[in-house]
């Protein structure tokens, strides 16, 4: 019997894959789910950006994967493959970071086993409209349950540098000049310091304040149930302030970062400056544009439906749904970077899983009626 699609995922990246795998685990068949995205490889954008900064390892830990359940994580899989307990011991100490190749192999495995290609519709969705019975997606049908996972809304350049001939974004393919100025102080910037030094360049770090040193994007506390509950209890202004603080630049502590920089500083090959100088090349390690206003689909959704916002975020319920457009008969959820109002680490794989599980529970309740 052919089953009509009851839900849709708008976004064909990692957030979409996590949601899809979670729905499949709950019992939905591929023909019950439509995924809208332009690339059949859910890691395509991530793969390109990781290659640009020569990324070797993931910042995430063992549970930074695309499977619906946290266990077994990538450390267990690595231990079984290598026949070694080393990954498990590292994971217990929160020091296991899978290699990029291990993670990409995992993504491909989830894609092939889940039926992703059967559900993928290679169509761009430009408008999501609330209608009777659910949500219309640009004339591609009406769905009772929709999860939006649009990813980041583009690369961010410092003012005046987007059209600067000597400037390139860290997430765009590039080589290294003899003298490189790296704008930014987060994970991508720190990676680029080491990349350029390894290539033989002199490096100037352009930053006005020192970055935080923490293993993950946000404090580990907020990945726990208690920490997330405290985040949900925060009022609007307090939550905006927290989210802005979490966006401050950071990269992990450790000798693998500090020792190469100390040696380069002593040799006169690395220094910190507050403003650009005459460096031959400028690498903008400044991340992504931030806020719903930079995403055309989300901006239109807010404008046309008068959605509540806080700062540059859409206000969401704790379960990642849009309150004004979600009720007993329909669901609109937001996952990934735009979903930070519900989970401060929404742009991590753990945060994506959180939104996916909440969405799955709503879809599951609807199916059992």
């Amino acid at each position: 019997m052919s089953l009509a699609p009851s839900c849709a995922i708008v976004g064909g990246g990692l957030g979409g894959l996590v949601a899809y795998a979670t729905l499949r685990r709950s019992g939905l068949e591929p023909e019950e789910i439509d995924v809208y995205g332009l690339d059949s490889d859910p890691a395509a954008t991530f793969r390109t950006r990781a290659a640009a900064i020569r990324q070797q390892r993931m910042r995430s830990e063992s549970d930074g994967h695309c499977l619906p359940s946290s266990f077994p994580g990538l450390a267990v899989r690595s231990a079984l493959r290598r026949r070694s307990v080393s990954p498990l011991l590292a994971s217990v100490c929160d020091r296991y970071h899978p290699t990029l190749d291990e993670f990409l192999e995992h993504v491909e495995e989830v894609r092939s086993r889940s039926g992703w290609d059967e559900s993928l519709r290679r169509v761009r969705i430009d408008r999501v409209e609330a209608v009777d019975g659910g949500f219309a997606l640009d004339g591609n049908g009406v769905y009772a349950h929709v999860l939006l996972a649009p990813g980041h809304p583009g690369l961010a350049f410092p003012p005046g540098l987007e059209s600067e001939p000597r400037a390139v974004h860290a997430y765009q393919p590039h080589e290294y000049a003899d003298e490189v100025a790296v704008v930014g102080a987060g994970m991508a910037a720190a990676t680029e310091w080491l990349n350029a030094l390894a290539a033989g360049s002199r490096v100037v770090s352009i930053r006005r304040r020192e970055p935080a040193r923490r293993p993950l994007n946000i404090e580990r506390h907020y990945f726990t149930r208690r920490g997330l509950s405290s985040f949900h209890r925060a009022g609007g202004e307090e939550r905006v302030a927290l989210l802005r603080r979490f966006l401050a630049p950071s990269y992990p502590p450790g000798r693998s970062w500090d020792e190469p920089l100390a040696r380069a500083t002593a040799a006169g090959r690395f220094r910190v400056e507050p403003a650009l100088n005459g460096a031959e090349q400028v690498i903008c390690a400044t991340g992504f544009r931030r806020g719903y206003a930079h995403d055309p689909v989300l901006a239109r959704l807010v404008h046309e439906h008068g959605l509540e916002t806080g700062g540059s975020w859409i206000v969401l319920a704790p379960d990642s749904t849009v309150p004004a457009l979600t009720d007993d008969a329909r669901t609109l959820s937001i996952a990934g970077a735009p979903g930070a109002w519900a989970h401060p680490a929404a742009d991590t794989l753990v945060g994506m899983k959180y939104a996916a599980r909440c969405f799955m529970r709503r879809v599951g309740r609807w199916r059992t009626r």
Side-chain angles (χ1 to χ4, degrees):
M1 180 179 66
S2 177
L3 301 175
S6 60
C7 56
I9 298 168
V10 178
L14 294 176
L17 179 64
V18 168
Y20 183 80
T22 302
L23 290 174
R24 292 282 287 115
R25 177 72 173 270
S26 73
L28 268 71
E29 298 298 329
E31 56 266 35
E32 294 182 90
I33 313 165
D34 281 344
V35 179
Y36 289 93
L38 297 181
D39 198 306
S40 59
D41 177 10
T45 299
F46 171 81
R47 190 189 306 272
T48 299
R49 292 170 177 167
I53 62 169
R54 283 76 165 169
Q55 183 174 340
Q56 299 297 315
R57 288 190 174 273
M58 302 292 290
R59 188 176 188 178
S60 57
E61 296 170 347
S62 180
D63 58 352
H65 56 74
C66 300
L67 295 170
S69 58
S70 295
F71 185 87
L74 296 181
V76 174
R77 295 160 56 87
S78 179
L80 292 173
R81 183 171 57 252
R82 293 162 54 184
R83 298 182 181 180
S84 169
V85 298
S86 296
L88 299 178
L89 295 176
S91 180
V92 169
C93 301
D94 295 321
R95 293 181 178 177
Y96 173 77
H97 300 281
T99 68
L100 182 67
D101 288 342
E102 286 175 327
F103 176 71
L104 291 175
E105 288 173 7
H106 158 71
V107 171
E108 182 56 32
E109 183 179 336
V110 174
R111 169 194 170 185
S112 62
R113 290 188 176 184
S114 65
W116 170 266
D117 289 356
E118 297 178 53
S119 298
L120 183 65
R121 309 289 177 259
R122 300 185 71 164
V123 175
R124 180 190 299 277
I125 299 299
D126 293 317
R127 185 182 186 190
V128 177
E129 181 183 9
V131 298
D132 290 341
F135 303 93
L137 305 182
D138 267 354
N140 292 284
V142 174
Y143 299 84
H145 307 285
V146 174
L147 180 139
L148 305 179
H152 293 282
L155 303 178
F157 284 81
L161 288 181
E162 191 161 7
S163 57
E164 164 67 49
R166 59 182 175 143
V168 64
H169 199 282
Y171 290 132
Q172 295 173 327
H174 60 278
E175 298 299 329
Y176 302 97
D178 289 339
E179 184 172 67
V180 175
V182 179
V183 183
M187 184 69 171
T191 301
E192 287 290 69
W193 301 335
L194 300 191
N195 288 342
L197 290 170
S201 305
R202 300 182 303 280
V203 178
V204 184
S205 170
I206 307 299
R207 61 183 193 251
R208 292 188 176 89
R209 57 178 174 171
E210 287 301 303
R213 303 295 300 276
R214 54 176 179 253
L216 303 174
N217 293 2
I218 66 173
E219 290 89 344
R220 199 179 299 276
H221 168 70
Y222 290 100
F223 287 92
T224 68
R225 182 174 298 180
R226 178 177 295 180
L228 189 57
S229 294
S230 70
F231 177 76
H232 289 158
R233 288 195 299 272
E237 292 185 4
E238 181 184 358
R239 199 175 306 194
V240 168
L242 283 170
L243 290 173
R244 286 175 177 163
R245 179 167 67 83
F246 297 150
L247 290 174
S250 72
Y251 68 98
R255 290 182 300 174
S256 60
W257 302 94
D258 296 339
E259 291 182 356
L261 295 178
R263 289 195 299 268
T265 300
R269 296 181 54 225
F270 181 82
R271 69 182 191 276
V272 176
E273 298 286 350
L276 279 174
N277 53 22
E280 181 181 349
Q281 181 184 35
V282 178
I283 297 177
C284 302
T286 41
F288 306 95
R289 294 176 178 173
R290 296 167 179 169
Y292 71 87
H294 292 290
D295 185 296
V297 173
L298 297 180
R300 177 177 285 177
L301 189 69
V302 168
H303 175 72
E304 293 183 348
H305 297 283
L307 301 185
E308 183 182 0
T309 60
S312 56
W313 293 272
I314 296 175
V315 170
L316 303 177
D319 64 355
S320 299
T321 58
V322 179
L325 300 179
T326 300
D327 54 34
D328 290 341
R330 66 184 185 184
T331 305
L332 183 64
S333 294
I334 297 179
W341 196 267
H343 196 299
D347 64 338
T348 69
L349 289 157
V350 170
M352 294 172 192
K353 272 200 279 280
Y354 173 84
R357 290 167 182 166
C358 292
F359 184 67
M360 177 267 294
R361 285 193 286 270
R362 289 193 57 87
V363 172
R365 287 198 298 269
W366 177 79
R367 292 181 82 225
T368 56
R369 289 177 181 174

